[in-house]
Amino acid sequence: KPGEQKHPKEPSSWQCMHLAVVACGDRLEETLIMLKSAVLFSNRRLCFHIFAEDSLKPEFEKKLKEWPSSYTKKFDYTIYPITFSVGNAQEWKKLFKPCAAQRLFLPVILKDVDSLLYVDTDVLFLRPIDDIWHILTQFNSTQLAAMAPEHEIPKIGWYSRFARHPYYGTTGVNSGVMLMNLTRIRNTQFKNSMIPTGLTWEEMLYPLYQKYKNYITWGDQDLLNIIFYFNPECLYVFPCQWNYRPDHCMYGSNCKGAEEEGVSVLHGNRGVYHDDKQPTFKALYEVIRDFPFEDNLFQSLYYPLQSKFLDTVHTLCGRIPQVFLKQIEKTMKKVYENRVIVYLGANHRY
């Protein structure tokens, strides 16, 4: 129509929002709770790419089949073995946590996927993945990945105080939530400290690891920091509410975005879902874990969460409950409204 705005056509792989996770060892339950949080709130179809040790594959299949059909119809999933395309597989496996380095190989393995959101197993979505997926449309012509800063305040940041290798920006970036345009990653020649000309992603990984392996502490996250130090124009930095960790509240509240908007993506690193050091994080994990899929979200998720939070007010993170509750409340209202509208629409007769 004349005057109508044309939206750029989405790549065909965008018909699905692709979410990747790498699960090894005892991370089965944590991964399933993360996937559950994704399915509970998202609007568009999801495609899960689950990289797991062989022993976990039957367990994943069994548990996912137990979910009610009203939810299983919202996603497809594929389970992949752990594989490393270059270098020594045992060496990659031992880098930082078991199998974590697998995420570095996603552009090489998922050749037919255009864009992807990678998350650690200890991540929980408190709003639809659609909202973080939309950030892909905000990339400029050179950006091919998005991550949040490792810290907001350089003087208490890990990289700014201890790193013995190059890292991105003033505080480094955290790789627990990483949005990637895989097509761009595969097509880019990356600047590096090894040869004057560029290297492809796959060519660069092993030599980079060999060069810095005696200086890195956080494994694959350090390698990503080194890559984006040399290629800063390739990175889009998203704000801390998209990767909210205990560090953002245990030294006083230092994530302004979460204070204003609430936490969008919760990242319970350092095992905080499973000990009593950060009860606010544990409360959110347990409430999503225990939520019976087809119950009322407010009655069986939000209200139990509010009451659990009352027990955490003596902790630094518990003193700011609104930061944790604001976004999830908004999300649930939207989910509820959508369901009511769909229900009314389906039952409306003229």
Side-chain angles (χ1 to χ4, degrees):
K1 287 174 196 169
E4 188 179 62
Q5 264 195 309
K6 280 198 172 66
H7 292 285
K9 195 172 178 297
E10 291 182 343
S12 58
S13 67
W14 274 44
Q15 286 152 6
C16 205
M17 298 183 294
H18 293 268
L19 178 69
V21 64
V22 180
C24 284
D26 58 359
R27 297 302 182 101
L28 177 84
E29 183 195 72
E30 216 174 61
T31 308
L32 287 163
I33 308 309
M34 179 277 289
L35 297 173
K36 183 179 184 180
S37 72
V39 174
L40 279 179
F41 303 132
S42 291
N43 302 312
R44 277 168 66 177
R45 186 163 193 76
L46 291 157
C47 287
F48 296 148
H49 302 271
I50 302 165
F51 290 81
E53 288 173 307
D54 296 343
S55 59
L56 295 181
K57 184 178 178 180
E59 278 298 296
F60 269 115
E61 290 181 332
K62 178 172 165 273
K63 296 284 186 196
L64 290 169
K65 283 191 177 104
E66 287 168 6
W67 290 7
S69 62
S70 55
Y71 285 93
T72 55
K73 68 182 185 198
K74 291 174 68 177
F75 66 88
D76 294 312
Y77 71 91
T78 311
I79 301 173
Y80 306 80
I82 303 290
T83 50
F84 302 98
S85 61
V86 290
N88 178 323
Q90 287 316 109
E91 220 172 352
W92 284 120
K93 253 186 188 165
K94 288 192 298 237
L95 179 66
F96 193 45
K97 286 182 186 153
C99 311
Q102 182 71 73
R103 87 182 91 182
L104 297 171
F105 294 88
L106 297 176
V108 181
I109 298 166
L110 301 175
K111 286 190 162 54
D112 297 330
V113 176
D114 175 69
S115 295
L116 179 83
L117 175 63
Y118 164 86
V119 294
D120 285 349
T121 58
D122 52 11
V123 157
L124 291 170
F125 295 98
L126 306 187
R127 69 191 286 180
I129 288 187
D130 311 60
D131 299 341
I132 192 168
W133 191 254
H134 182 69
I135 292 172
L136 285 162
T137 64
Q138 295 166 24
F139 283 13
N140 67 22
S141 59
T142 60
Q143 288 163 341
L144 46 75
M147 287 188 270
E150 172 63 25
H151 223 288
E152 301 306 300
I153 303 163
K155 68 170 183 276
I156 54 173
W158 194 90
Y159 285 105
S160 36
R161 291 184 298 157
F162 305 118
R164 296 188 296 149
H165 58 77
Y167 57 89
Y168 179 87
T170 52
T171 58
V173 279
N174 182 282
S175 59
V177 180
M178 186 176 178
L179 194 56
M180 294 182 266
N181 183 320
L182 299 183
T183 305
R184 284 187 180 181
I185 290 174
R186 288 186 284 263
N187 294 338
T188 296
Q189 293 280 320
F190 291 88
K191 300 189 289 292
N192 60 85
S193 57
M194 294 163 295
I195 61 165
T197 52
L199 288 168
T200 66
W201 186 265
E202 193 174 12
E203 288 167 342
M204 170 176 62
L205 289 178
Y206 195 61
L208 196 69
Y209 166 64
Q210 288 297 330
K211 176 166 182 176
Y212 291 103
K213 67 179 175 186
N214 296 327
Y215 304 100
I216 59 181
T217 305
W218 306 113
D220 47 315
Q221 177 171 292
D222 290 348
L223 290 177
L224 289 164
N225 266 285
I226 294 163
I227 292 168
F228 291 113
Y229 168 84
F230 290 106
N231 300 271
E233 71 288 352
C234 293
L235 192 66
Y236 177 105
V237 179
F238 51 65
C240 47
Q241 67 266 30
W242 294 103
N243 184 349
Y244 190 90
R245 284 157 278 131
D247 283 9
H248 289 120
C249 50
M250 60 196 264
Y251 308 113
S253 184
N254 61 39
C255 174
K256 292 282 172 282
E259 285 173 23
E260 287 159 20
E261 276 187 33
V263 173
S264 296
V265 179
L266 192 76
H267 183 184
N269 62 347
R270 304 188 185 168
V272 294
Y273 297 147
H274 314 292
D275 61 30
D276 296 314
K277 290 185 183 138
Q278 299 296 340
T280 40
F281 282 76
K282 191 179 184 182
L284 264 156
Y285 178 79
E286 289 179 347
V287 163
I288 293 173
R289 179 193 68 194
D290 299 340
F291 173 68
F293 268 104
E294 293 184 302
D295 273 23
N296 177 290
L297 279 166
F298 278 98
Q299 269 169 350
S300 303
L301 203 152
Y302 189 69
Y303 299 134
L305 190 58
Q306 278 186 314
S307 63
K308 268 182 187 260
F309 268 31
L310 291 174
D311 301 332
T312 72
V313 290
H314 61 286
T315 67
L316 276 166
C317 294
R319 287 196 299 195
I320 47 170
Q322 71 287 357
V323 165
F324 294 88
L325 294 171
K326 194 184 279 189
Q327 189 60 244
I328 198 166
E329 184 183 9
K330 245 191 248 175
T331 298
M332 285 198 268
K333 278 185 177 153
K334 268 194 200 143
V335 170
Y336 185 68
E337 281 162 15
N338 288 348
R339 280 189 194 158
V340 169
I341 290 162
V342 168
Y343 180 77
L344 287 174
N347 289 285
H348 201 95
R349 289 205 176 93
Y350 292 97

